[in-house]
Protein backbone atom coordinates (compact mmCIF):
# COMPACT_ATOMS: atom_id res chain seq x y z
CA UNK A 1 0.00 0.00 0.00
CA UNK A 2 1.23 3.51 -0.76
CA UNK A 3 0.18 6.90 0.59
CA UNK A 4 -0.26 10.34 -0.91
CA UNK A 5 1.80 12.84 1.07
CA UNK A 6 0.81 16.50 0.93
CA UNK A 7 2.38 19.55 2.50
CA UNK A 8 0.08 21.72 4.57
CA UNK A 9 -0.18 25.28 3.30
CA UNK A 10 -2.12 28.50 3.52
CA UNK A 11 -4.67 29.18 0.79
CA UNK A 12 -2.90 29.67 -2.56
CA UNK A 13 -3.68 32.31 -5.16
CA UNK A 14 -6.88 32.01 -7.16
CA UNK A 15 -6.26 29.85 -10.24
CA UNK A 16 -6.86 30.94 -13.81
CA UNK A 17 -10.15 30.69 -15.70
CA UNK A 18 -11.34 27.11 -16.13
CA UNK A 19 -8.91 25.74 -13.57
CA UNK A 20 -9.08 24.63 -9.92
CA UNK A 21 -6.43 24.20 -7.27
CA UNK A 22 -6.64 21.40 -4.71
CA UNK A 23 -4.65 21.90 -1.52
CA UNK A 24 -4.44 20.83 2.12
CA UNK A 25 -4.68 23.66 4.65
CA UNK A 26 -2.75 24.09 7.90
CA UNK A 27 -5.50 22.21 9.78
CA UNK A 28 -5.18 19.17 7.49
CA UNK A 29 -8.44 19.73 5.59
CA UNK A 30 -8.68 19.29 1.82
CA UNK A 31 -9.94 22.21 -0.30
CA UNK A 32 -10.72 22.93 -3.93
CA UNK A 33 -10.26 26.59 -4.88
CA UNK A 34 -11.95 27.56 -8.16
CA UNK A 35 -11.33 30.43 -10.57
CA UNK A 36 -14.07 32.55 -8.99
CA UNK A 37 -12.27 32.51 -5.65
CA UNK A 38 -14.76 30.18 -3.99
CA UNK A 39 -12.93 27.93 -1.53
CA UNK A 40 -14.69 24.56 -1.17
CA UNK A 41 -13.82 22.39 1.82
CA UNK A 42 -14.04 18.70 0.96
CA UNK A 43 -15.82 17.05 3.91
CA UNK A 44 -14.79 13.47 4.60
CA UNK A 45 -17.56 11.04 5.47
CA UNK A 46 -18.62 11.41 9.09
CA UNK A 47 -17.11 8.53 11.03
CA UNK A 48 -18.54 7.00 14.20
CA UNK A 49 -16.61 7.88 17.34
CA UNK A 50 -16.09 4.87 19.61
CA UNK A 51 -15.12 7.04 22.58
CA UNK A 52 -18.02 7.84 24.91
CA UNK A 53 -18.11 11.09 26.87
CA UNK A 54 -15.52 12.23 24.34
CA UNK A 55 -16.27 15.88 25.06
CA UNK A 56 -16.26 15.39 28.86
CA UNK A 57 -19.87 16.48 29.31
CA UNK A 58 -20.52 14.17 32.26
CA UNK A 59 -18.86 13.53 35.62
CA UNK A 60 -21.76 11.94 37.50
CA UNK A 61 -19.75 10.66 40.47
CA UNK A 62 -18.71 14.16 41.59
CA UNK A 63 -19.70 17.81 41.31
CA UNK A 64 -18.37 18.18 37.75
CA UNK A 65 -16.78 21.62 37.97
CA UNK A 66 -15.21 21.13 41.40
CA UNK A 67 -11.65 19.84 41.72
CA UNK A 68 -12.16 16.42 43.31
CA UNK A 69 -9.38 14.25 44.70
CA UNK A 70 -8.81 10.62 43.68
CA UNK A 71 -6.01 8.19 44.38
CA UNK A 72 -5.56 4.78 42.78
CA UNK A 73 -1.94 3.74 42.25
CA UNK A 74 -2.54 0.41 40.51
CA UNK A 75 -6.19 0.34 39.39
CA UNK A 76 -8.48 3.01 37.97
CA UNK A 77 -10.67 5.63 39.63
CA UNK A 78 -13.54 7.08 37.58
CA UNK A 79 -13.82 10.88 37.74
CA UNK A 80 -15.44 11.66 34.36
CA UNK A 81 -17.88 9.06 33.06
CA UNK A 82 -16.00 6.39 31.11
CA UNK A 83 -12.56 7.75 31.95
CA UNK A 84 -10.22 5.91 34.31
CA UNK A 85 -7.54 7.78 36.27
CA UNK A 86 -4.40 6.12 37.66
CA UNK A 87 -1.75 8.00 39.63
CA UNK A 88 1.79 6.85 40.46
CA UNK A 89 1.82 8.52 43.88
CA UNK A 90 -0.96 10.08 45.95
CA UNK A 91 -2.92 11.93 44.70
CA UNK A 92 -4.70 13.35 41.61
CA UNK A 93 -7.59 15.70 40.97
CA UNK A 94 -10.19 16.09 38.23
CA UNK A 95 -12.65 18.77 37.21
CA UNK A 96 -14.82 19.51 34.19
CA UNK A 97 -14.16 22.94 32.70
CA UNK A 98 -17.07 24.79 31.10
CA UNK A 99 -16.08 27.25 28.36
CA UNK A 100 -19.60 28.60 27.79
CA UNK A 101 -18.85 31.99 29.37
CA UNK A 102 -15.25 32.20 28.16
CA UNK A 103 -14.50 30.67 24.76
CA UNK A 104 -11.07 29.06 24.42
CA UNK A 105 -9.39 29.33 21.03
CA UNK A 106 -9.01 25.98 19.35
CA UNK A 107 -11.64 24.19 21.44
CA UNK A 108 -14.98 23.65 19.69
CA UNK A 109 -16.55 21.57 22.46
CA UNK A 110 -18.15 23.37 25.40
CA UNK A 111 -16.48 21.17 28.03
CA UNK A 112 -13.11 19.56 28.60
CA UNK A 113 -11.46 17.57 31.38
CA UNK A 114 -8.59 18.79 33.55
CA UNK A 115 -6.35 16.24 35.28
CA UNK A 116 -3.92 17.51 37.92
CA UNK A 117 -1.24 15.82 40.02
CA UNK A 118 -1.27 16.91 43.67
CA UNK A 119 0.56 16.08 46.93
CA UNK A 120 3.74 14.82 45.25
CA UNK A 121 5.28 14.33 41.82
CA UNK A 122 4.22 11.29 39.83
CA UNK A 123 2.95 9.99 36.53
CA UNK A 124 -0.70 10.29 35.50
CA UNK A 125 -2.53 7.81 33.26
CA UNK A 126 -5.97 8.56 31.77
CA UNK A 127 -7.74 5.72 29.95
CA UNK A 128 -11.05 4.55 28.52
CA UNK A 129 -11.97 0.94 27.81
CA UNK A 130 -14.01 0.41 24.63
CA UNK A 131 -16.58 -2.34 25.08
CA UNK A 132 -16.02 -5.45 22.95
CA UNK A 133 -19.42 -5.12 21.30
CA UNK A 134 -18.28 -1.77 19.89
CA UNK A 135 -14.61 -2.34 19.10
CA UNK A 136 -14.27 -5.93 17.90
CA UNK A 137 -15.91 -5.05 14.58
CA UNK A 138 -12.68 -3.18 13.82
CA UNK A 139 -10.40 -6.21 14.08
CA UNK A 140 -7.77 -6.14 11.35
CA UNK A 141 -8.66 -2.57 10.33
CA UNK A 142 -6.84 0.75 10.61
CA UNK A 143 -8.08 3.34 13.11
CA UNK A 144 -7.17 6.91 13.98
CA UNK A 145 -6.94 8.22 17.55
CA UNK A 146 -7.37 11.99 17.85
CA UNK A 147 -7.48 14.37 20.82
CA UNK A 148 -6.92 17.97 21.80
CA UNK A 149 -4.65 18.73 24.76
CA UNK A 150 -2.96 21.61 26.55
CA UNK A 151 -0.94 22.06 29.74
CA UNK A 152 -2.63 23.22 32.94
CA UNK A 153 0.08 25.12 34.83
CA UNK A 154 3.84 24.94 35.23
CA UNK A 155 6.24 23.36 32.77
CA UNK A 156 4.86 22.02 29.50
CA UNK A 157 4.62 18.23 29.88
CA UNK A 158 5.13 15.58 27.23
CA UNK A 159 2.03 13.40 27.21
CA UNK A 160 2.18 10.02 25.56
CA UNK A 161 -0.87 9.07 23.51
CA UNK A 162 -1.65 5.55 22.43
CA UNK A 163 -3.93 2.57 22.19
CA UNK A 164 -3.80 -0.49 24.44
CA UNK A 165 -5.35 -3.88 23.92
CA UNK A 166 -6.70 -6.48 26.28
CA UNK A 167 -5.19 -9.45 24.49
CA UNK A 168 -6.52 -12.89 23.74
CA UNK A 169 -5.47 -14.23 27.15
CA UNK A 170 -7.70 -11.72 28.92
CA UNK A 171 -11.40 -11.97 29.75
CA UNK A 172 -13.60 -9.89 27.49
CA UNK A 173 -14.88 -6.62 29.04
CA UNK A 174 -12.96 -7.40 32.24
CA UNK A 175 -9.95 -5.21 33.00
CA UNK A 176 -7.37 -6.62 35.45
CA UNK A 177 -7.54 -5.09 38.94
CA UNK A 178 -3.83 -4.32 38.61
CA UNK A 179 -4.01 -2.00 35.65
CA UNK A 180 -0.44 -0.71 36.06
CA UNK A 181 2.22 -3.10 37.33
CA UNK A 182 5.31 -0.84 37.20
CA UNK A 183 5.42 2.87 36.35
CA UNK A 184 9.04 2.93 35.21
CA UNK A 185 11.56 5.75 35.16
CA UNK A 186 11.02 9.08 33.44
CA UNK A 187 10.99 8.49 29.69
CA UNK A 188 9.98 4.84 30.12
CA UNK A 189 6.44 3.66 29.44
CA UNK A 190 4.68 1.95 32.37
CA UNK A 191 4.42 -1.85 32.44
CA UNK A 192 0.76 -2.75 32.26
CA UNK A 193 -1.15 -5.46 34.07
CA UNK A 194 -1.88 -8.98 32.89
CA UNK A 195 -2.92 -9.31 29.21
CA UNK A 196 -2.63 -5.52 28.67
CA UNK A 197 -0.18 -4.34 26.00
CA UNK A 198 0.43 -1.21 23.95
CA UNK A 199 -0.22 -1.34 20.21
CA UNK A 200 2.49 0.01 17.91
CA UNK A 201 1.37 2.93 15.71
CA UNK A 202 1.61 2.40 11.95
CA UNK A 203 3.78 4.34 9.52
CA UNK A 204 1.36 7.23 8.94
CA UNK A 205 3.00 10.43 10.21
CA UNK A 206 1.59 11.65 13.51
CA UNK A 207 -0.44 14.85 13.55
CA UNK A 208 1.47 17.38 15.74
CA UNK A 209 3.10 14.47 17.55
CA UNK A 210 6.11 12.18 17.14
CA UNK A 211 5.46 8.46 16.88
CA UNK A 212 7.80 6.70 19.28
CA UNK A 213 7.58 3.03 20.26
CA UNK A 214 4.16 2.08 21.58
CA UNK A 215 2.63 5.53 21.25
CA UNK A 216 3.34 9.13 20.29
CA UNK A 217 5.03 12.00 22.15
CA UNK A 218 2.79 15.07 22.39
CA UNK A 219 4.52 18.20 23.65
CA UNK A 220 1.85 20.39 25.20
CA UNK A 221 1.71 24.16 25.45
CA UNK A 222 -0.65 26.69 26.98
CA UNK A 223 -2.70 26.61 23.76
CA UNK A 224 -4.96 23.84 22.51
CA UNK A 225 -3.38 21.58 19.91
CA UNK A 226 -4.84 18.64 18.02
CA UNK A 227 -2.84 15.40 18.12
CA UNK A 228 -3.55 12.19 16.23
CA UNK A 229 -1.98 8.97 15.01
CA UNK A 230 -3.06 5.73 13.32
CA UNK A 231 -2.94 2.05 14.29
CA UNK A 232 -3.31 -1.18 12.33
CA UNK A 233 -5.38 -3.29 14.68
CA UNK A 234 -4.65 -6.97 15.35
CA UNK A 235 -7.38 -9.58 14.94
CA UNK A 236 -7.30 -11.23 18.35
CA UNK A 237 -7.91 -8.48 20.93
CA UNK A 238 -10.76 -8.57 23.43
CA UNK A 239 -10.96 -4.82 24.15
CA UNK A 240 -9.28 -1.61 23.03
CA UNK A 241 -8.22 1.01 25.56
CA UNK A 242 -7.63 4.66 24.65
CA UNK A 243 -4.73 5.92 26.76
CA UNK A 244 -2.92 9.16 27.64
CA UNK A 245 -0.01 9.04 30.06
CA UNK A 246 2.74 11.40 31.18
CA UNK A 247 6.18 10.57 29.82
CA UNK A 248 7.73 11.64 33.14
CA UNK A 249 6.58 12.47 36.63
CA UNK A 250 4.37 15.54 36.76
CA UNK A 251 5.12 18.02 39.53
CA UNK A 252 2.44 18.58 42.17
CA UNK A 253 -0.28 21.04 41.03
CA UNK A 254 0.71 20.53 37.36
CA UNK A 255 -1.25 18.49 34.87
CA UNK A 256 -2.94 18.47 31.49
CA UNK A 257 -6.30 19.23 29.91
CA UNK A 258 -7.96 16.81 27.50
CA UNK A 259 -10.91 17.16 25.16
CA UNK A 260 -12.52 16.22 21.84
CA UNK A 261 -11.19 12.65 21.89
CA UNK A 262 -12.02 10.45 18.91
CA UNK A 263 -11.31 6.86 17.89
CA UNK A 264 -12.54 6.37 14.33
CA UNK A 265 -12.37 3.72 11.63
CA UNK A 266 -9.89 4.53 8.86
CA UNK A 267 -7.03 6.95 8.18
CA UNK A 268 -9.23 10.02 7.72
CA UNK A 269 -8.59 13.04 9.89
CA UNK A 270 -11.90 14.70 10.72
CA UNK A 271 -13.12 17.63 12.78
CA UNK A 272 -14.72 16.77 16.11
CA UNK A 273 -18.45 16.15 15.80
CA UNK A 274 -20.44 15.30 18.90
CA UNK A 275 -23.71 13.45 19.31
CA UNK A 276 -26.72 15.28 20.68
CA UNK A 277 -26.52 15.68 24.47
CA UNK A 278 -29.39 13.24 25.10
CA UNK A 279 -27.79 10.56 22.92
CA UNK A 280 -24.42 10.99 24.62
CA UNK A 281 -26.05 10.78 28.05
CA UNK A 282 -27.67 7.47 27.07
CA UNK A 283 -24.23 6.14 26.09
CA UNK A 284 -22.73 6.88 29.51
CA UNK A 285 -25.79 5.69 31.43
CA UNK A 286 -25.19 2.22 30.03
CA UNK A 287 -22.22 2.11 32.42
CA UNK A 288 -23.28 4.44 35.25
CA UNK A 289 -26.74 5.69 36.22
CA UNK A 290 -28.21 7.39 39.27
CA UNK A 291 -31.42 8.83 40.67
CA UNK A 292 -29.68 12.11 41.49
CA UNK A 293 -29.63 15.04 39.05
CA UNK A 294 -26.92 14.58 36.41
CA UNK A 295 -24.60 17.24 37.86
CA UNK A 296 -25.29 16.37 41.52
CA UNK A 297 -22.76 14.18 43.31
CA UNK A 298 -24.33 11.11 44.96
CA UNK A 299 -24.59 11.66 48.71
CA UNK A 300 -26.93 11.13 51.64
CA UNK A 301 -29.41 13.83 52.65
CA UNK A 302 -30.21 14.93 49.08
CA UNK A 303 -33.95 15.11 48.47
CA UNK A 304 -34.24 16.02 44.78
CA UNK A 305 -34.82 13.07 42.48
CA UNK A 306 -35.37 10.48 45.18
CA UNK A 307 -37.43 7.36 44.40
CA UNK A 308 -40.60 7.17 46.53
CA UNK A 309 -43.06 4.49 47.59
CA UNK A 310 -45.86 4.04 50.14
CA UNK A 311 -45.45 1.82 53.18
CA UNK A 312 -47.64 -1.25 52.96
CA UNK A 313 -47.19 -2.43 56.56
CA UNK A 314 -47.26 -0.68 59.92
CA UNK A 315 -44.49 -0.65 62.52
CA UNK A 316 -41.02 -2.19 62.35
CA UNK A 317 -42.16 -4.91 59.96
CA UNK A 318 -40.06 -6.58 57.28
CA UNK A 319 -40.80 -5.64 53.65
CA UNK A 320 -42.84 -2.61 54.70
CA UNK A 321 -41.27 -0.64 51.85
CA UNK A 322 -40.68 -1.96 48.32
CA UNK A 323 -39.20 0.06 45.45
CA UNK A 324 -38.34 -0.83 41.87
CA UNK A 325 -35.91 1.36 39.94
CA UNK A 326 -35.95 0.99 36.17
CA UNK A 327 -32.59 2.13 34.79
CA UNK A 328 -32.73 4.95 32.21
CA UNK A 329 -31.25 2.57 29.60
CA UNK A 330 -30.34 -1.13 29.76
CA UNK A 331 -26.94 -1.39 31.44
CA UNK A 332 -23.88 -3.36 30.45
CA UNK A 333 -24.59 -6.43 32.55
CA UNK A 334 -25.77 -6.46 36.15
CA UNK A 335 -24.42 -3.32 37.88
CA UNK A 336 -23.28 -2.71 41.44
CA UNK A 337 -26.10 -0.81 43.16
CA UNK A 338 -25.48 1.55 46.07
CA UNK A 339 -28.25 3.08 48.21
CA UNK A 340 -28.34 6.52 49.87
CA UNK A 341 -30.62 7.87 52.56
CA UNK A 342 -32.34 10.97 51.07
CA UNK A 343 -33.20 12.52 54.44
CA UNK A 344 -30.32 11.71 56.80
CA UNK A 345 -26.85 10.20 56.88
CA UNK A 346 -26.32 6.61 55.80
CA UNK A 347 -27.64 4.15 53.24
CA UNK A 348 -31.06 3.23 54.67
CA UNK A 349 -34.40 4.11 53.14
CA UNK A 350 -36.16 7.02 54.83
CA UNK A 351 -39.74 7.51 56.03
CA UNK A 352 -40.72 11.00 54.86
CA UNK A 353 -44.31 11.59 56.07
CA UNK A 354 -45.80 10.91 59.50
CA UNK A 355 -42.94 10.61 61.97
CA UNK A 356 -39.78 11.01 59.92
CA UNK A 357 -37.38 8.15 60.62
CA UNK A 358 -34.81 5.88 59.08
CA UNK A 359 -35.99 2.50 57.85
CA UNK A 360 -33.81 -0.53 58.53
CA UNK A 361 -32.54 -3.62 56.68
CA UNK A 362 -32.50 -1.81 53.33
CA UNK A 363 -31.70 -4.58 50.84
CA UNK A 364 -31.03 -4.71 47.09
CA UNK A 365 -32.39 -7.77 45.24
CA UNK A 366 -33.55 -9.19 41.90
CA UNK A 367 -31.05 -7.20 39.86
CA UNK A 368 -30.72 -7.33 36.10
CA UNK A 369 -29.36 -5.04 33.42
CA UNK A 370 -32.78 -3.32 33.26
CA UNK A 371 -33.96 -2.84 36.85
CA UNK A 372 -33.43 -3.48 40.55
CA UNK A 373 -35.72 -3.98 43.54
CA UNK A 374 -35.08 -2.54 47.00
CA UNK A 375 -36.88 -3.51 50.20
CA UNK A 376 -36.71 -2.17 53.77
CA UNK A 377 -38.12 -2.84 57.20
CA UNK A 378 -40.39 -0.11 58.59
CA UNK A 379 -39.69 2.13 61.57
CA UNK A 380 -41.43 1.71 64.90
CA UNK A 381 -43.77 4.63 64.14
CA UNK A 382 -44.45 3.65 60.52
CA UNK A 383 -48.08 3.63 59.41
CA UNK A 384 -49.63 2.14 56.29
CA UNK A 385 -49.66 4.79 53.57
CA UNK A 386 -46.69 6.78 54.86
CA UNK A 387 -44.25 7.89 52.17
CA UNK A 388 -40.76 6.38 52.05
CA UNK A 389 -37.91 7.33 49.73
CA UNK A 390 -34.41 6.32 48.69
CA UNK A 391 -31.62 7.32 46.30
CA UNK A 392 -29.56 4.85 44.23
CA UNK A 393 -26.60 4.56 41.87
CA UNK A 394 -25.81 1.71 39.48
CA UNK A 395 -22.25 1.14 38.32
CA UNK A 396 -21.34 -1.24 35.46
CA UNK A 397 -18.07 0.46 34.46
CA UNK A 398 -15.35 -1.81 33.10
Amino acid sequence: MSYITRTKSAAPATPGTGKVTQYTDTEGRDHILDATGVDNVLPARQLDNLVRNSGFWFAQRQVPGTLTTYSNVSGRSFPADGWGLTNETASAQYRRVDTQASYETGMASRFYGEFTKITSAGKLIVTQVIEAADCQRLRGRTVRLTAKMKQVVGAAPVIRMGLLQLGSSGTVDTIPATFVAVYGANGTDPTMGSALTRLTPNAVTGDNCTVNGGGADCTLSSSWQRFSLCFDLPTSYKNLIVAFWSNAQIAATNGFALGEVQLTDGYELQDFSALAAAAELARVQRYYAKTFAIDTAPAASVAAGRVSTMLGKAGATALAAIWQWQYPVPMKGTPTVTTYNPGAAGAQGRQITGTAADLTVTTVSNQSERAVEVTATGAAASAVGDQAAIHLTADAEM
Side-chain angles (χ1 to χ4, degrees):
M1 180 180 290
S2 60
Y3 307 99
I4 297 175
T5 301
R6 292 178 177 170
T7 301
K8 295 180 181 180
S9 67
T14 300
T17 302
K19 296 181 179 180
V20 296
T21 298
Q22 184 170 355
Y23 73 98
T24 301
D25 68 14
T26 55
E27 293 296 320
R29 293 172 295 194
D30 286 339
H31 297 243
I32 290 181
L33 180 63
D34 65 24
T36 67
V38 175
D39 197 358
N40 302 284
V41 180
L42 301 179
R45 60 191 176 97
Q46 188 60 48
L47 302 168
D48 292 338
N49 184 8
L50 273 67
V51 178
R52 65 187 185 278
N53 201 20
S54 55
F56 291 87
W57 302 274
F58 306 108
Q60 294 189 84
R61 295 168 174 84
Q62 66 171 73
V63 179
T66 300
L67 279 171
T68 304
T69 300
Y70 299 86
S71 187
N72 198 327
V73 297
S74 61
R76 301 162 71 232
S77 302
F78 295 99
D81 282 68
W83 293 99
L85 176 59
T86 309
N87 47 283
E88 181 180 11
T89 56
S91 296
Q93 289 185 328
Y94 172 78
R95 69 168 178 167
R96 182 190 72 185
V97 180
D98 187 349
T99 68
Q100 178 178 228
S102 180
Y103 171 74
E104 296 192 16
T105 301
M107 174 56 64
S109 182
R110 174 180 170 180
F111 300 109
Y112 63 84
E114 188 176 278
F115 300 88
T116 309
K117 188 73 184 69
I118 64 168
T119 310
S120 60
K123 293 184 178 181
L124 286 180
I125 303 174
V126 179
T127 53
Q128 182 174 132
V129 178
I130 309 299
E131 186 179 348
D134 292 326
C135 70
Q136 286 189 4
R137 60 184 170 85
L138 298 177
R139 287 177 169 182
R141 296 184 62 81
T142 297
V143 296
R144 180 178 285 272
L145 175 61
T146 307
K148 287 185 179 177
M149 290 187 282
K150 71 171 185 174
Q151 70 191 75
V152 176
V153 295
V158 174
I159 300 299
R160 298 271 289 158
M161 174 178 173
L163 200 58
L164 313 179
Q165 68 167 335
L166 178 68
S168 58
S169 63
T171 300
V172 67
D173 292 341
T174 304
I175 302 304
T178 300
F179 186 71
V180 179
V182 180
Y183 281 88
N186 288 346
T188 302
D189 288 336
T191 301
M192 307 310 295
S194 175
L196 296 170
T197 56
R198 273 175 291 275
L199 297 177
T200 301
N202 69 14
V204 174
T205 301
D207 177 35
N208 292 323
C209 58
T210 302
V211 173
N212 176 18
D217 296 332
C218 306
T219 301
L220 308 193
S221 70
S222 59
S223 299
W224 286 106
Q225 298 177 77
R226 185 189 62 205
F227 304 93
S228 72
L229 68 166
C230 293
F231 298 85
D232 297 323
L233 298 183
T235 59
S236 58
Y237 62 83
K238 299 291 181 65
N239 292 91
L240 296 176
I241 304 166
V242 172
F244 304 87
W245 65 99
S246 56
N247 194 44
Q249 290 190 330
I250 295 178
T253 73
N254 290 7
F256 67 100
L258 177 65
E260 298 187 8
V261 184
Q262 298 185 106
L263 182 63
T264 50
D265 181 13
Y267 290 97
E268 290 95 333
L269 182 61
Q270 67 177 23
D271 289 336
F272 181 71
S273 180
L275 293 175
E280 195 63 43
L281 177 59
R283 289 183 74 187
V284 302
Q285 286 178 325
R286 175 168 167 76
Y287 304 90
Y288 186 87
K290 61 183 182 180
T291 53
F292 300 89
I294 295 302
D295 284 350
T296 297
S301 299
V302 175
R306 65 195 183 193
V307 179
S308 295
T309 190
M310 295 179 66
L311 298 178
K313 298 180 182 180
T317 308
L319 305 181
I322 301 176
W323 299 267
Q324 185 184 65
W325 179 34
Q326 295 276 348
Y327 305 132
V329 298
M331 302 198 73
K332 193 201 76 61
T334 302
T336 298
V337 175
T338 303
T339 60
Y340 299 82
N341 188 322
Q348 300 291 348
R350 179 77 173 175
Q351 181 174 319
I352 304 300
T353 60
T355 302
D358 289 345
L359 307 182
T360 62
V361 198
T362 301
T363 304
V364 172
S365 62
N366 297 322
Q367 294 173 254
S368 74
E369 73 277 9
R370 301 191 64 89
V372 62
E373 292 179 0
V374 184
T375 59
T377 296
S382 292
V384 173
D386 281 342
Q387 180 187 4
I390 199 165
H391 264 303
L392 307 100
T393 62
D395 193 337
E397 188 60 72
M398 293 176 286

